[in-house]
Every structure is written in structure tokens, then in C-alpha cells.
Amino acid sequence: MEASTVFGTVTAEPLDPAAHEAAVADRRAGAVVSFQGVVRDHDHGRDVTSLEYEGHPSAAAVLWEVAAEVAADPDVYAVAVSHRIGPLGIGDVALVAAVSTAHRAAAFAACARLVDEVKARLPIWKRQVFADGTEEWVNCP
């Protein structure tokens, strides 16, 4: 059995969802599932104008750890995941995840696990700026 391919990065550069899907391409794969976390213009009934992600220096290592755990599943052929840091505008992609497997159910499950684990464990915090000029930090310890 071939080893799973793992790709991941934490970057201030714009994310390319198509590149993530290409990174998980595998001849054995019958399913590729991807996810894009996009900056929306609202949160809990308040208008959001912009946000900024700040990452701990360990963020890239944690991202790789999570990706490797998902890739260790014998049903998974490849995993690609990246998270943006720095200032982002409405509509920008903040998180991209892609997974390939032989079958769709396994791909959906693995991609959901990947996104959930990244959201739970990645030491990246979000500062939201609201239309009324106030701001808040989210997921900040």
C-alpha cells in the first residue's frame, strides 16, 4: 500500500483551492472532497467589515500534525490543508482543505474530520472588525 501524501501550510498569501485539489490527485482516488472557509460579512447578527488572523509560531507544525493524523487513515490517499494569517477581506478564503479516497463517504468523513480538527487545535486567532467600529477576538486563549 502506498503512503498518503500530505500538504499543508500557514501563509499570509492568498490560498488556491484548485491547487489543493490538484495536490490530492491520485490515480486510485474515486473521490476528492474539498472545503473552503470564506470570510463572511456577518457574525451573530452583526455586520463584519474585515478580519485578521494571527497565528502562534507553532501553527504550521500543528497543521502538519493534524494533516498527518487524517492521512494516517488507511482509506485516505492524500490530504492538503492551508490556513491564511494576516488581514483578510469579505469573500477571501481563510481555510482550504482537500482529501482524496477511493469512495465519497470516506472522503466526506475525512475532510470533515480534517476541518474540525484544524478548527479545534490550530493556534490561530481571529480579530473581527464590525461595521459599528467595534472589534472582538475569537478563539483567543
Side-chain angles (χ1 to χ4, degrees):
M1 172 174 261
E2 295 179 41
S4 295
T5 301
V6 178
F7 169 81
T9 188
V10 173
T11 181
E13 298 300 317
L15 300 179
D16 182 353
H20 286 71
E21 290 177 1
V24 300
D26 187 294
R27 292 170 29 118
R28 301 169 294 165
V32 172
V33 170
S34 62
F35 170 83
Q36 297 176 47
V38 179
V39 177
R40 63 183 179 268
D41 68 355
H42 66 279
D43 191 31
H44 300 291
R46 299 177 71 190
D47 291 336
V48 173
T49 58
S50 66
L51 59 81
E52 181 176 358
Y53 285 99
E54 186 171 316
H56 187 272
S58 68
V62 173
L63 186 77
W64 270 93
E65 181 180 288
V66 170
E69 288 173 10
V70 173
D73 181 329
D75 289 335
V76 173
Y77 297 143
V79 171
V81 60
S82 298
H83 201 298
R84 285 271 310 266
I85 55 173
L88 281 79
I90 304 305
D92 286 347
V93 177
L95 171 66
V96 175
V99 176
S100 64
T101 67
H103 303 285
R104 73 178 175 272
F108 277 112
C111 193
R113 178 176 171 223
L114 177 61
V115 171
D116 289 346
E117 288 296 315
V118 164
K119 297 287 285 177
R121 294 170 44 192
L122 200 62
I124 289 182
W125 306 282
K126 176 172 66 174
R127 182 179 67 93
Q128 297 187 115
V129 179
F130 297 102
D132 65 6
T134 61
E135 63 181 47
E136 75 175 351
W137 283 92
V138 180
N139 297 331
C140 195

